Amino acid sequence: KTAAPAASSTPAAPVQGPPPIQLRPPSLDFGFVPPSSASTGSVELVNTTDRPLKILAVQPSCKCTTISDLAGKEIPAGGSVELEATLDAQPAPGPKRAQIRVLVEGYTQVVTVQLQAEVALPVRVTPPYINAVEGKNQTGRLVVQSTDGTPFRICSTHGMPPRYLGFDPASEEARSQYLVEYDIADFGGRIPRYFVIETDREDAPLVDVLLRHEDSFPAINIRMKDYRIPAGVIPAGESAEFTIRLDNRIDRPAPPINAAISRSPDGTVEFVGQEVDEENEEVLVTLRLTPKSDFTGFLYLPFTIFAQTGQTQDLDVFAKVAPGGSAACSEPASSGG
């Protein structure tokens, strides 16, 4: 009697395409989020077939995203599992986007979960940067508005009286949105890396806009995680500590810092200390900013840090120096022309 042929143990060829999984909601949009904050949400991975699906791997697109561990988990037929994700916002205002890729057994393509947020202070500026390279956009307009609709006043635009369009601060009540003009020529010979708008809101006293210009690009000798350095509101006559973040990857370790010096008569900068953050591959350097004793108003101060290796890095810190540490405008905002 002839024996029946043995059943083939060869696994089925993978399906060319994505797995039959539906996302609820289709993406994660966290809306407006504060700088350096963490936002958490979840999506359901719904199995639309009549058989279970096994998740092989879940991979975020960057370290800014942490996820629940679903590797090896099965989604029952017609059922679902929840994927929880946390998106870490960058320190600087602007859009933040990331992806999570879900690989399912038996399918050649992944399911992609989109994450997005708008990193913004309670007062935001549109557009979030000025592209003034190669002579472009030497003058222009910016929309300055509160994300919660609360009225506020603009105290200055980079220390200068704001030039409003369609608003007279001498006769009109504060608004939640303004249209202001800028002119690169106002900065004279030194173009700042960040154009800073000073407001009377305690939760957003300084709102910065990245200014892309040939003269504002930093010469990189020591790699930073972020070249934007706000120091907030400093009470007149006092000091404030602030932190800068050095890139400290294994293949490019940060040099130890041992000194700092101001390049402006308006204040001093001193080295306080540093610590290594291995998880985020960075070195946190603490510095102390002391404005000149009689200084008040908007402060944009250039300074230099010095490494034990002999390397130096020129940077800028900006702050608002005010009596009692108040964000209130020191004098009524004028039209500035």
Side-chain angles (χ1 to χ4, degrees), residues 277-318:
D277 182 347
E278 294 183 355
E279 180 180 355
N280 294 306
E281 296 183 314
E282 61 188 20
V283 174
L284 304 177
V285 180
T286 301
L287 303 168
R288 181 180 297 113
L289 171 62
T290 304
K292 192 170 62 173
S293 60
D294 60 349
F295 186 97
T296 58
F298 174 68
L299 176 64
Y300 196 91
L301 189 140
F303 68 98
T304 303
I305 56 173
F306 297 82
Q308 293 179 8
T309 55
Q311 295 164 277
T312 64
Q313 181 64 54
D314 292 341
L315 299 165
D316 299 304
V317 59
F318 53 89

Side-chain angles (χ1 to χ4, degrees), residues 162-310:
R163 287 197 284 262
Y164 296 104
L165 289 173
F167 175 73
D168 182 0
S171 60
E172 296 185 61
E173 295 293 323
R175 296 179 177 180
S176 61
Q177 177 175 306
Y178 301 93
L179 184 62
V180 296
E181 293 182 308
Y182 71 85
D183 189 339
I184 300 299
D186 291 339
F187 298 114
R190 188 173 189 274
I191 309 298
R193 178 66 170 164
Y194 294 93
F195 176 54
V196 185
I197 295 173
E198 181 187 2
T199 86
D200 67 349
R201 283 193 60 151
E202 298 290 341
D203 55 359
L206 300 168
V207 185
D208 53 285
V209 180
L210 177 64
L211 176 51
R212 294 174 176 169
H213 187 277
E214 289 84 352
D215 295 338
S216 70
F217 291 126
I220 299 174
N221 300 316
I222 300 174
R223 286 196 165 271
M224 311 290 296
K225 277 292 191 76
D226 189 8
Y227 291 86
R228 172 184 175 269
I229 309 175
V233 180
I234 303 175
E238 298 185 19
S239 300
E241 292 187 355
F242 63 96
T243 301
I244 59 175
R245 303 158 59 229
L246 277 58
D247 192 343
N248 192 44
R249 283 175 282 183
I250 294 176
D251 61 335
R252 193 162 47 199
I257 305 301
N258 59 4
I261 189 170
S262 167
R263 305 196 314 277
S264 167
D266 293 330
T268 62
V269 176
E270 305 168 78
F271 172 74
V272 176
Q274 62 189 327
E275 61 178 313
V276 177
D277 182 347
E278 294 183 355
E279 180 180 355
N280 294 306
E281 296 183 314
E282 61 188 20
V283 174
L284 304 177
V285 180
T286 301
L287 303 168
R288 181 180 297 113
L289 171 62
T290 304
K292 192 170 62 173
S293 60
D294 60 349
F295 186 97
T296 58
F298 174 68
L299 176 64
Y300 196 91
L301 189 140
F303 68 98
T304 303
I305 56 173
F306 297 82
Q308 293 179 8
T309 55

Side-chain angles (χ1 to χ4, degrees), residues 6-76:
S8 173
S9 60
T10 303
V15 176
Q16 299 296 314
I21 288 178
Q22 184 180 46
L23 302 178
R24 295 180 185 167
S27 63
L28 283 177
D29 187 347
F30 296 106
F32 292 119
V33 301
S36 301
S37 63
S39 303
T40 300
S42 63
V43 295
E44 274 190 289
L45 307 178
V46 181
N47 181 356
T48 61
T49 72
D50 57 1
R51 57 185 178 82
L53 297 174
K54 184 178 181 180
I55 297 174
L56 295 181
V58 182
Q59 181 65 51
S61 61
C62 72
K63 289 185 176 181
C64 63
T65 308
T66 54
I67 55 176
S68 51
D69 185 12
L70 296 182
K73 192 174 185 65
E74 280 197 348
I75 310 176

